Amino acid sequence: MKENQSYETTSKVSVAENKTLTKEQYRKKMQRRKEVQDQRIADASLEKGLIVVNTGNGKGKTTASLGMVLRSLGHGYKVAIIQFIKGAWEPSEKKAFSFWKDNGQLEFHAMGEGFSWETQDRDRDIEKAQAAWNKGLEYIRDPEYKLVLLDEINIAIKLGYLRVEEVLAGLEEKPERNHIILTGRGAPQSLIERADLVTEMSLIKHPFRDQAIKAQPGIEY
Amino acid sequence: MKENQSYETTSKVSVAENKTLTKEQYRKKMQRRKEVQDQRIADASLEKGLIVVNTGNGKGKTTASLGMVLRSLGHGYKVAIIQFIKGAWEPSEKKAFSFWKDNGQLEFHAMGEGFSWETQDRDRDIEKAQAAWNKGLEYIRDPEYKLVLLDEINIAIKLGYLRVEEVLAGLEEKPERNHIILTGRGAPQSLIERADLVTEMSLIKHPFRDQAIKAQPGIEY
């Protein structure tokens, strides 16, 4: 918990500064900013499928991925989700996604057996992780699946259940326009280097740890 | 971009270490870990609605919030989304959420007019932000809405369109069991102190900036 540290203020428009500008100065300033922004968008013209990594010890790695899954489904794309650690789909997520599961747009496979401290059998964990990866590869190779979410795969790599070299080689089999998301804390450096979009979610404050509040429906599951 | 920095490895199970353990040693180690984890879950017993903040300059602040919205909808809860900056709903999100909009579980209000450099009129921005906040307050006070998402409100505060004191006072009107999510970069320190769960999303690598790749459907919208 880092309550007293101060946080980034990346905006170039400081509040105090804006308050001293006349309305016309403000308008001009914002106009210049819009020109820069428009140019930046115009310059970014390359269309390609992305390799996305959500890592870090904070919340939101899987949750943000589910948001991306939802957008892809909204676009009418086919999506596959492979869960490497969990052995079942959260009931609320299952219910929320049931429409797309039923209409054939979404494939879901929970191929883990809980976290490793639940199973206490390393050989079995390795076997499960390999099976999940093989299933993931099927979807990665299939051009129809515009988005493949490999949920918690980074943990499987980190625990030594999957070799990162094998995963990196598999990512190269992705059709040009398709996306892959890899989640889990402790993403290996070589994966970060290969990825196009990498976000680190950091925990600043957590009720579970700091205040003995239990996991809440609608937020954590 | 920080390609060459190394990332956190928070797991206490290092790969090299595990590989030297016998199967039985591994099992025992994981068993101890499971006991610790189970105790931690048993200790966390407090049920309460959370104030959640997603901040930082990375991706995933809004996207992770949409994942939480989806889970809440899956639980059958009512949810309200107020967008403080955007003036319209992304078509893919609109389509994906249409089932719950139609069945009355989800209320959505996009009450901004683009980012401030789009509007170039500060008075109008302030007026819009205040209207969005008033709408948000209606849902915050309504016990039926288990989750209220105030999307990009941190930016409205940061730009001086809303006073943080007003927002903090409004959060206190939340019914005990309900959740509020506040997103946007540059969350003020006083909000971080008040919140229960705070995550900072940091940009490690971004295709838009680094490789001139344009925003991709299914990922960014």
Side-chain angles (χ1 to χ4, degrees), chain A residues 3-11 13 15 18-19 23 26-27 30-31 33-34 37 40-41 43-48 50 52 56-57 59-60 62-64 66-68 70-72 74-75 77 92-93 95-97 100 116-118 120-123 125 147 157-161 179 185-187 189 192-209 211-214 216-221, chain B residues 3-11 13 15 18-19 23 26-27 30-31 33-34 37 40-41 43-48 50 52 55-57 59-60 62-64 66-68 70-72 74-75 77 92-93 95-97 100 116-118 120-123 125 147 157-161 179 185-186 189 192-209 211-214 216-221:
Chain A
E3 274 196 29
N4 295 318
Q5 92 181 43
S6 66
Y7 290 86
E8 46 96 31
T9 47
T10 46
S11 168
V13 185
V15 177
N18 278 344
K19 280 177 179 162
K23 207 166 165 175
Y26 181 83
R27 199 192 59 75
M30 288 297 116
Q31 190 174 19
R33 185 185 252 220
K34 179 164 162 54
Q37 187 69 8
R40 204 159 128 187
I41 290 168
D43 289 346
S45 56
L46 197 57
E47 265 195 47
K48 84 172 223 196
L50 302 180
V52 178
N57 63 351
K59 310 293 299 176
T62 294
T63 322
L66 294 180
M68 289 180 181
L70 192 78
R71 286 184 184 139
S72 288
H75 282 290
Y77 302 150
S92 70
E93 293 170 13
K95 196 170 167 210
F97 282 117
W100 296 284
S116 58
W117 55 83
E118 301 281 347
Q120 301 162 25
D121 181 340
R122 183 172 166 85
D123 291 345
D125 287 343
L147 175 63
I157 296 170
K158 196 167 138 81
L159 292 173
Y161 301 161
H179 309 295
R185 59 176 65 192
Q189 189 60 25
I192 287 170
E193 276 162 28
R194 174 59 189 88
D196 301 295
L197 172 62
V198 181
T199 306
E200 187 174 20
M201 279 77 171
S202 310
L203 185 66
I204 305 296
K205 206 171 179 183
H206 194 312
F208 186 87
R209 192 176 295 172
Q211 300 176 47
I213 296 170
K214 67 181 183 184
Q216 300 292 306
I219 299 291
E220 313 227 14
Y221 64 90
Chain B
E3 273 197 27
N4 294 318
Q5 92 181 44
S6 67
Y7 290 85
E8 46 96 31
T9 47
T10 46
S11 168
V13 185
V15 176
N18 278 345
K19 281 177 180 164
K23 207 165 165 175
Y26 181 83
R27 200 193 59 74
M30 288 297 116
Q31 191 175 19
R33 185 185 252 222
K34 178 164 163 53
Q37 186 69 8
R40 204 161 127 186
I41 290 167
D43 290 345
S45 56
L46 196 58
E47 263 194 48
K48 83 172 224 196
L50 302 180
V52 178
T55 192
N57 64 352
K59 307 296 297 176
T62 294
T63 321
L66 293 181
M68 289 179 181
L70 192 78
R71 286 183 184 140
S72 288
H75 281 291
Y77 303 150
S92 69
E93 292 170 12
K95 196 170 166 209
F97 282 116
W100 296 284
S116 59
W117 54 83
E118 301 280 347
Q120 301 162 25
D121 182 340
R122 183 172 166 84
D123 292 344
D125 287 343
L147 174 63
I157 296 170
K158 195 167 139 81
L159 293 173
Y161 301 161
H179 308 295
R185 57 176 66 192
Q189 189 60 25
I192 288 170
E193 276 161 27
R194 174 60 189 87
D196 301 295
L197 172 60
V198 181
T199 306
E200 186 175 20
M201 278 77 172
S202 310
L203 184 66
I204 304 297
K205 206 172 178 184
H206 194 313
F208 185 87
R209 192 177 295 173
Q211 300 176 48
I213 297 170
K214 66 182 182 184
Q216 300 291 306
I219 299 291
E220 313 226 11
Y221 65 91

Side-chain angles (χ1 to χ4, degrees), chain A residues 54-55 58 82 101 125 136 150 161 168 175 177 189 200 210:
Chain A
N54 290 339
T55 192
I82 314 289
K101 189 97 166 89
D125 287 343
L150 305 172
Y161 301 161
L168 289 171
R177 304 286 282 262
Q189 189 60 25
E200 187 174 20
D210 302 337

Side-chain angles (χ1 to χ4, degrees), chain A residues 51-54 61-62 65 69 79-85 109 111 129 131-140 147-157 162 166-168 170-171 174 179-185 191:
Chain A
I51 294 175
V52 178
V53 172
N54 290 339
K61 298 183 288 291
T62 294
S65 307
V69 166
V79 176
I81 302 176
I82 314 289
Q83 287 201 340
F84 279 74
I85 303 293
H109 302 271
M111 301 189 68
W133 170 242
N134 290 337
K135 179 58 76 180
L137 258 185
E138 283 176 32
Y139 291 108
I140 287 172
L147 175 63
V148 179
L149 167 56
L150 305 172
D151 194 41
E152 306 284 21
I153 189 173
N154 298 342
I155 295 187
I157 296 170
L162 275 181
E166 192 178 352
V167 173
L168 289 171
L171 296 181
K174 171 181 94 58
H179 309 295
I180 303 175
I181 308 175
L182 304 95
T183 78
R185 59 176 65 192
L191 175 60

